[in-house]
Amino acid sequence: MPSKTPVVDIHSHLYPPAYISLLESRTSIPYITTIANSRRLVNRVGQSGKPLMPILYDISTKLAFMNRHGIDISIISLGNPWLDFLPPDIAASTAASINDATNALCAAHPGRLFCFAALPLSAPRAALLAEISRVATLSHVRGVVMGSAGLGDAGKGLDDPDMLPVYEELERQRLPVFLHPNYGLPAEQWGPCCADYGQVPALALGFTMETTIAFSRVFLAGMFDKVPELTFILSHGGGTLPFLAGRIESCIEHDRTWKENGRLSERKKTLWQVLKKNVILDGVVFDKVGMRAAVDVVGVERVMFGTDHPFFVPLEETELWPCMVRNRDAARDAVGEGDEYEMIMGGNAVRLLDLK
Ligand code: 5CU
C-alpha cells in the first residue's frame, strides 16, 4: 500500500555487539550459554532462550528487514532485560558505552535509524541522572527504554518515590519513556500445564499485564501531578489499559480510602486525562480490535506503528513477516486508508519524536 509519509517502526529491538559480549561474559541469566549444542541468548528466568542469530545483533540484518518490509525508519531499542541486572559500580559506564555504540550505529545510517537509550537504573543516583542528561545530547536518541522493575532488577517498581528524580530529569530533557515488559507475572500463575501453552502465558498475558500494572502504579502514585509533561510510550498497545481504564477510574471513585485520605479531591488528573496527555501507545497489537481501542483511548494522533522485530519470527518461510502485515492491516482496518492511517504508520512518530 503506497504511503505518503515515511513508515516508522517504533518498536524494534537490537542487542548491539557490545551487549552480546557482556552477556557472553556472564554465567547466570541474562546470559549467552550453550544448550543442546546451540548458543542461546537467555534473557528471562524460566526460558530456554533464543538461538544467537544475526537478527538479534546485526544492523545489516535489521536494515534488510526494513527494506524488505517497506519500513523507512526504525527506532531501535536494546532488548530486554536492558541493563537492570548490572552491579551498581559498572552500570553507568556500561550504559554509556552501549548508548554511544547504538547512537553511532544510527548515525552511520542517516535517515534510517534513531534509538531509545538504555538507562543504568542500578547505578548511584547522580550517575544515573548524569547519563540521562548525557544521552539527551546524543544526535539520534529520541527517548529511553525502561522495564518495570524500577531502580535495578531488585527495584521497587516504577511508583517508587525514588524514581521521581529520574522522571524529573527525563521531563526536563524531554525524553519519553518507552515502557517495555520483561518480568511477566509469577510462574505459579500459569498452573501445571503452562509448558503446553508455549509463549502465550509469558508474552501475550504476562507481558501485557506487567505493563498495565507498572504504568497504573505510576498513575496511582500521583507521579503525573509532579511531572505533568512526562511522556510514556507503552508497549503492545498499553497491555490491557485501554480496556481496564474505566474500571480503574471506577474503583477510585467508589473507594473510601481515596475519599477520606483526600487523594480523590487532591488529584489533578483522572486516568483518562493522563492517557490523553502523557501517553503514547505503540500499535503492536496484531488486530484491529486492539488498535481501535488504542486509538479511542489516547487519540489517533498518539498511536505509533511497530513490529517488535526481531521477535515473532515466522515459523515458516514467508515473503513478509506477520508482525509487519498484521500490525499494518490492524491500523488500516481500525481507521481506514486515509490520513489517520498515515499518522499511525509514521506521521505521528515523525512529529512526536522529531525524526526530521
Ligand atoms: O514480545 C516481545 O516484545 C518480546 C520481547 O521484547 N523480548 C522477548 O524476549 N520476547 C518477546
Side-chain angles (χ1 to χ4, degrees), residues 11 13 15 43-44 47 50 79-80 82 180-182 199 203 207 236 308 311-312:
H11 192 146
H13 301 292
Y15 294 99
N43 62 353
R44 282 194 313 271
Q47 191 214 31
K50 310 166 203 316
N80 53 317
W82 317 283
H180 193 289
N182 171 61
Q199 60 183 1
L203 297 187
F207 263 28
H236 313 124
D308 223 334
F311 304 122
F312 290 82

Side-chain angles (χ1 to χ4, degrees), residues 147-148 157-159 167 177 179-180 207-224 230-235 238-242 245 248 270-281 297-298:
S148 66
L158 300 186
D159 57 346
Y167 297 143
V177 177
L179 172 56
H180 193 289
F207 263 28
T208 48
M209 284 314 299
E210 179 186 349
T211 303
T212 306
I213 294 167
F215 182 79
S216 299
R217 284 172 55 179
V218 177
F219 163 72
L220 293 170
M223 287 292 182
F224 293 104
L230 183 64
T231 298
F232 271 73
I233 302 170
L234 303 185
S235 301
T240 61
L241 257 189
I248 293 170
T270 65
L271 179 54
W272 294 113
Q273 290 166 325
V274 165
L275 286 165
K276 284 255 179 318
K277 157 116 177 110
N278 302 91
V279 172
I280 292 169
L281 297 179
V297 164
V298 296

Side-chain angles (χ1 to χ4, degrees), residues 117-128:
L119 293 184
L121 286 158
S122 57
R125 181 188 292 181
L128 166 56

